[in-house]
Amino acid sequence: MSSSSFPAWLAAQAAQREERGLTRRLAESDRGEPLLDLAGNDYLGLARDPCVVAGAVAAAHAYGAGASASRLVSGTLSIHTELEQTMAAFTGFASALVFSSGYHANLSVVQALADRDTLVVSDAHIHASMIDACRLARATVTVTPHNDVAAVEEALARRAQRRALVLVETIYSVLGDAAPVATLAALAAKHDAVLIADEAHGLGVVGPGGRGLLAAHGLTGRPEVVGTGTLSKSFGSQGGLVLGAPAVREHLVNRARPFIYDTGLAPAAAGGALAALRVVQAAPELPDRVRAKAAALAGACGLDDPPAGAVLSVPMPGPREALAAVATAAGHGLRIGCFRPPSTPDGISRLRLTAHAHHTSEELALAVKVLRLIMPGTCG
Ligand SMILES: Cc1ncc(COP(=O)(O)O)c(C=O)c1O
């Protein structure tokens, strides 16, 4: 086998990953000893809620297992329209468009709203889907330091391009902190730019009744603000959404390639998300509950401040230490997440823990006990 052959190249890549402690392995979470989950994003426990599962099953029976075609061909179903109208009304935006995933929603909104005469100003800690969206957009991209409002303003003010987009997450998926959305929206208005804020970790967790950080700041009616989201986290289902003015929705339907050339959202996912939304509307205390649990976990991890949402981020000395902490936690019955380069733009490996509204006080107490044992710098 020559050293330049395809198998040799794969083997060399694998060896390199292994040496750096960066090999990723898939593990079936429904097998083996059940672990208390502090790694997943089902913040409100709705993925297994009987009403949500029943909503998914009913939609599959009514509409079939798949949407069968792109939304523009024959894949738009009345359940898509109902989901879009309900999501828009819930979040306070004038309209919504649903996608087969949050990843596609982000790819779509940036690709369709940018052109060669656009500057895209992207926070350094933006999700991979937004990074890939920038590549797809063929626009000029400036990456600004995390939550650095002055750097965003400078980039907008000095731009040569006619148009500009500012990309942020409302609650950052790995760092767990919040973006200064009110200031950024004001900057967008001042500099004739559009703020695109990903609410993947905000919806269901922050804002009034879980309506998100944009709603909390009264930004959902502003023409220069566009939201994106996912149905796969707080809503316990699958799929993505873009929230904005009807003209934004209409533009995406006509120009967003990841929307146009993709089969419509599966009916079961739409039905599950709709049912989840009804659960959230009927139980507006759920977001408060998840944030209270996040604050308790933060104390156990020795973090000074409670997180802005449900995500806790604990920096670790390196990827091996992070993996060792994950293994120790698993040995004590706890599943925690870990992010290592290249998923962390600053090269810092981190433990990522998520709070869940449905964890019982006994489960929370177990989690706190185990975290006190394994956290660097905290005593047992
Ligand atoms: C911030 C952020 N945006 C977008 C996505 C993509 O969402 P989905 O899983 O629905 O594709 C994720 C999921 O990991 C995320 O964390």
Side-chain angles (χ1 to χ4, degrees):
M1 188 167 66
S2 116
S3 62
S4 60
S5 73
F6 181 54
W9 180 79
L10 289 178
Q13 292 282 306
Q16 225 175 62
R17 282 194 294 271
E18 196 61 35
E19 196 183 311
R20 294 180 189 158
L22 296 178
T23 303
R24 277 132 169 103
R25 293 192 170 84
L26 298 174
E28 294 171 347
S29 62
D30 58 339
R31 289 190 195 274
E33 277 296 298
L35 300 177
L36 180 63
D37 186 32
L38 264 66
N41 303 309
D42 181 18
Y43 299 126
L44 307 180
L46 296 183
R48 285 179 174 273
D49 182 282
C51 296
V52 176
V53 174
V57 171
H61 278 299
Y63 299 92
S68 82
S70 155
R71 293 282 302 275
L72 281 172
V73 181
S74 56
T76 293
L77 305 169
S78 52
I79 196 163
H80 293 140
T81 312
E82 187 184 352
L83 178 58
E84 288 170 350
Q85 289 173 349
T86 317
M87 278 292 175
F90 174 69
T91 55
F93 278 91
S95 70
L97 186 65
V98 297
F99 298 75
S100 60
S101 73
Y103 203 104
H104 271 75
N106 281 346
L107 286 185
S108 291
V109 74
V110 179
Q111 176 260 313
L113 296 184
D115 58 17
R116 288 182 194 280
D117 202 9
T118 302
L119 174 70
V120 179
V121 183
S122 171
D123 187 279
H125 280 262
I126 204 82
H127 188 258
S129 52
M130 285 288 198
I131 296 172
D132 294 352
C134 291
R135 294 172 182 154
L136 198 61
R138 291 186 281 182
T140 306
V141 179
T142 293
V143 178
T144 48
H146 182 54
N147 274 351
D148 187 338
V149 170
V152 173
E153 167 131 55
E154 196 189 330
L156 291 178
R158 288 182 24 194
R159 78 180 192 259
Q161 295 79 1
R162 208 161 40 93
R163 304 176 52 251
L165 307 178
V166 177
L167 310 185
V168 298
E169 290 178 43
T170 59
I171 303 293
Y172 279 87
S173 49
V174 178
L175 297 182
D177 57 348
V181 286
T183 313
L184 291 170
L187 279 184
K190 178 176 164 195
H191 292 281
D192 196 17
V194 177
L195 174 66
I196 300 179
D198 182 348
E199 288 265 39
H201 300 272
L203 290 176
V205 174
V206 300
R211 286 170 171 75
L213 197 66
L214 298 173
H217 289 277
L219 299 172
T220 58
R222 300 266 284 265
E224 68 279 7
V225 176
V226 173
T228 69
T230 174
L231 308 175
S232 69
K233 302 190 193 302
S234 289
F235 299 114
S237 182
Q238 189 94 32
L241 71 157
V242 171
L243 302 153
V248 170
R249 183 179 186 279
E250 208 257 345
H251 185 81
L252 295 187
V253 167
N254 284 276
R255 297 301 302 275
R257 293 172 62 83
F259 176 82
I260 295 168
Y261 297 100
D262 188 34
T263 296
L265 177 65
L274 254 177
L277 187 50
R278 290 193 189 107
V279 173
V280 176
Q281 285 175 308
E285 72 281 3
L286 283 175
D288 295 340
R289 206 179 289 165
V290 77
R291 290 199 316 280
K293 290 186 176 163
L297 294 174
C301 293
L303 301 176
D304 291 336
D305 299 316
V311 177
L312 285 81
S313 178
V314 183
M316 296 296 282
R320 290 184 201 288
E321 290 83 353
L323 281 182
V326 170
T328 309
H332 287 82
L334 206 62
R335 177 180 295 114
I336 59 176
C338 111
F339 275 73
R340 294 168 283 162
S343 303
T344 53
D346 52 11
I348 296 174
S349 293
R350 291 181 172 84
L351 299 181
R352 178 182 184 270
L353 289 79
T354 52
H356 299 259
H358 57 294
H359 284 165
T360 63
S361 41
E362 290 77 25
E363 287 173 329
L364 187 64
L366 169 74
V368 165
K369 194 170 132 202
V370 176
L371 292 175
R372 287 205 172 118
L373 271 178
I374 64 165
M375 282 303 148
T378 59
C379 48

